[in-house]
Amino acid sequence: MKNLKVIAFTHKHVDLKDLGSLVICNEELDSRLINLKNSLDISEIFYIGTCNRVEFVFYGAHELNDDFVVQFLDKMNFCVPAERMQCYLGQVDRYEGLDALNHLFRTSCSLESLVVGEKEILAQIRRAYDRCRAAGFTGDFLRLMMDRLVKTAKEVYTYTNISRNPISVVSLAYRKLREVKLSENPRILVIGSGETNQNLAKYLRKHKYSNFTIFNRTVANAEPLAKELQGQAYPLSELKNYKKGFDVMITCTGAPEAIINEELYTSLLNGEDDRKVIVDLAVPNDIDAAVIAKYPIQYIEVSSLQQIAEKNIQERYDELENAEEIIAQNIKEFLPILKQRRVEVAMKQVPEKIKEIRSMAMTEVFANEVEQLDPQAREILNKVINYMEKKYIKVPMVMAKEILVKSAESESN
């Protein structure tokens, strides 16, 4: 276990913009890792690269001092200028042995994420490992570790509430929309084509909604979203002339004050008097308070969603202790498994050695005596030797495993 190492650059100590210089594209990954393995005698390694972290997980008898980290970065061809190297050394996190294992388990369970409880990190780590495994960069140790890591993360996500409730405003807005009984294919009016509206509209598109009309100050900026949603894009200045009505309005602009007043809202209704659904994710709100007070509206606005998000975030952090208990239990269970595997690997040659001894005994040491035996006696001798061979192979394996189990039990007590 002491040879498990992690060199990590994460959002905790590195500006997210600077992390980009450490990300390795897939086309270069193989050649860089081959160079590193050959140069530094690293037997197993895989690389994790996300928008919030760049980490190298490897197995090797190396001390993670400054000299090694400098050499590591040099062999990975990061071309870090000398004047920047001290900065990198101050930003890097180094983990060894059980600390490395605990860090990887916490990371896969999203306890180390920028947003606690985001499940995507587990998928990212699995893809990173599978990519390096397929290229031949990993081996038996990292395979065992990954099996346990995935098991642990699944248990955390299943048996705690760390990822149950959404914490993004867009996710919460969509969840609120799902609670509303909409018509089969509602007319959806999207005002503003920024990232927030893009994400919410894509949620709706993914769930088979298709009747979209987009208004934005700059039509060119709205056209990519309109194309993706198979809708129409118009300049915001034309909103007052829109006469096709709507069932759902999604609005999020950067306007300093409300853009939908009573006059404009009445025009958009075009004579319809049924209850409308409005999702107002702008700060300040895009919908004038007088509109909300006067008309029948199911109003979903950003401040109430933010309150829910903050509550959900706190609930996620409240689950950290439960998640850490699951991690600790899995580490405790994993160590005997690792020891047992080491014995299995170490004793892998036992059957071959016993067969060699048998062959030498029969063909060299006792060759003359065996030749003098009659067929019946030779058959009995072979049966006895076969029996002894199986026992000599099985017994040491069983005894070694029993010793490991008793050792693990005594350590836990």
Side-chain angles (χ1 to χ4, degrees):
M1 177 55 66
K2 66 181 180 180
N3 287 338
L4 175 62
K5 309 290 167 64
V6 177
I7 292 177
F9 298 90
T10 75
H11 60 89
K12 291 186 176 182
H13 300 128
V14 184
D15 189 282
L16 296 182
K17 294 180 181 178
D18 293 336
L19 273 175
S21 62
L22 296 172
V23 173
I24 307 170
C25 64
N26 287 336
E27 291 75 16
E28 295 182 0
L29 183 60
D30 286 8
S31 60
R32 291 203 192 188
L33 290 182
I34 288 171
N35 180 53
L36 183 76
K37 281 171 60 72
N38 294 339
S39 302
L40 299 182
D41 190 27
I42 292 174
S43 59
E44 301 183 46
I45 188 170
F46 74 95
Y47 155 84
I48 305 167
T50 75
C51 57
N52 292 328
R53 65 183 64 252
V54 168
E55 301 198 17
F56 299 91
V57 182
F58 61 97
Y59 189 81
H62 303 84
E63 184 181 349
L64 300 187
N65 53 32
D66 285 356
D67 289 340
F68 178 79
V69 174
V70 170
Q71 193 177 11
F72 189 97
L73 294 176
D74 178 62
K75 297 302 180 184
M76 284 300 296
N77 296 325
F78 281 127
C79 301
V80 179
E83 62 272 15
R84 285 279 296 155
M85 184 55 72
Q86 283 304 123
C87 181
Y88 274 97
L89 291 175
Q91 294 172 329
V92 67
D93 290 312
R94 316 167 205 206
Y95 304 93
E96 302 184 51
L98 282 176
D99 286 341
L101 187 66
N102 187 57
H103 165 74
L104 290 169
F105 278 30
R106 286 178 61 86
T107 300
S108 68
C109 297
S110 79
L111 274 60
E112 300 288 341
S113 295
L114 190 62
V115 179
V116 171
E118 291 298 323
K119 291 184 178 181
E120 179 59 22
I121 184 61
L122 175 60
Q124 290 170 332
I125 292 175
R126 292 182 72 172
R127 286 195 296 269
Y129 169 77
D130 289 342
R131 170 78 175 78
C132 290
R133 178 188 56 78
F137 295 126
T138 66
D140 200 51
F141 178 86
L142 291 182
R143 176 186 62 79
L144 288 172
M145 186 203 73
M146 279 299 302
D147 288 346
R148 178 59 57 158
L149 181 149
V150 171
K151 173 183 178 293
T152 303
K154 287 182 176 179
E155 289 178 2
V156 167
Y157 293 133
T158 300
Y159 300 118
T160 76
N161 292 320
I162 202 164
S163 64
R164 294 280 167 83
N165 296 319
I167 58 175
S168 76
V169 168
V170 170
S171 297
L172 288 165
Y174 178 66
R175 177 170 286 196
K176 286 286 186 182
L177 265 177
R178 283 169 51 192
E179 296 172 1
V180 179
K181 292 184 178 180
L182 300 175
S183 58
E184 186 174 341
N185 190 23
R187 299 162 296 171
I188 302 175
L189 194 60
V190 180
I191 303 174
S193 62
E195 183 178 358
T196 300
N197 272 0
Q198 288 179 33
N199 291 336
L200 183 53
K202 288 174 184 177
Y203 266 119
L204 294 168
R205 175 65 178 164
K206 181 179 178 181
H207 289 82
K208 310 305 181 184
Y209 295 99
S210 59
N211 194 348
F212 294 91
T213 304
I214 299 96
F215 286 87
N216 195 56
R217 292 191 186 280
T218 306
V219 176
N221 293 340
E223 286 175 346
L225 178 60
K227 183 178 180 180
E228 182 173 352
L229 299 176
Q230 298 180 7
Q232 298 294 319
Y234 301 97
L236 189 60
S237 58
E238 288 297 310
L239 187 60
K240 63 181 182 294
N241 299 319
Y242 185 72
K243 300 300 180 183
K244 295 184 179 180
F246 68 94
D247 300 299
V248 178
M249 179 189 295
I250 299 172
T251 180
C252 184
T253 71
E257 56 187 22
I259 63 170
I260 308 293
N261 55 28
E262 285 189 70
E263 182 183 357
L264 179 54
Y265 189 76
T266 302
S267 173
L268 291 171
L269 287 176
N270 198 31
E272 297 177 3
D273 59 3
D274 58 319
R275 179 180 292 271
K276 304 298 182 182
V277 179
I278 297 180
V279 182
D280 187 352
L281 301 182
V283 180
N285 292 143
D286 280 337
I287 309 297
D288 191 283
V291 174
I292 302 166
K294 182 175 181 180
Y295 294 92
I297 294 172
Q298 175 75 41
Y299 188 55
I300 302 168
E301 50 93 25
V302 70
S303 62
S304 62
L305 296 176
Q306 286 175 334
Q307 291 174 10
I308 298 171
E310 289 170 4
K311 177 177 176 290
N312 289 349
I313 288 174
Q314 186 56 52
E315 288 179 355
R316 288 189 177 193
Y317 276 99
D318 291 343
E319 288 294 296
L320 287 179
E321 185 176 346
N322 293 332
E324 287 167 348
E325 288 178 2
I326 293 174
I327 290 172
Q329 181 61 34
N330 272 277
I331 289 177
K332 182 180 178 181
E333 294 172 1
F334 177 64
L335 296 180
I337 292 173
L338 187 60
K339 290 180 180 179
Q340 180 175 316
R341 181 57 181 164
R342 283 178 180 168
V343 170
E344 291 173 352
V345 172
M347 300 186 71
K348 197 173 182 180
Q349 295 181 348
V350 169
E352 295 177 5
K353 292 296 182 183
I354 291 177
K355 290 182 184 297
E356 289 177 7
I357 293 171
R358 169 182 175 162
S359 177
M360 181 175 288
M362 296 290 286
T363 61
E364 296 182 25
V365 180
F366 300 105
N368 292 334
E369 290 86 342
V370 172
E371 282 294 326
Q372 294 175 15
L373 295 174
D374 60 58
Q376 185 178 3
R378 189 177 297 182
E379 182 180 352
I380 293 173
L381 176 62
N382 279 326
K383 287 182 179 180
V384 171
I385 292 177
N386 286 338
Y387 175 82
M388 295 295 292
E389 181 181 325
K390 290 178 182 178
K391 290 298 180 181
Y392 275 120
I393 291 172
K394 182 180 179 180
V395 170
M397 296 281 196
V398 173
M399 291 180 65
K401 291 179 180 179
E402 289 176 350
I403 291 171
L404 284 175
V405 170
K406 290 178 181 178
S407 175
E409 290 176 350
S410 63
E411 287 176 4
S412 62
N413 294 331

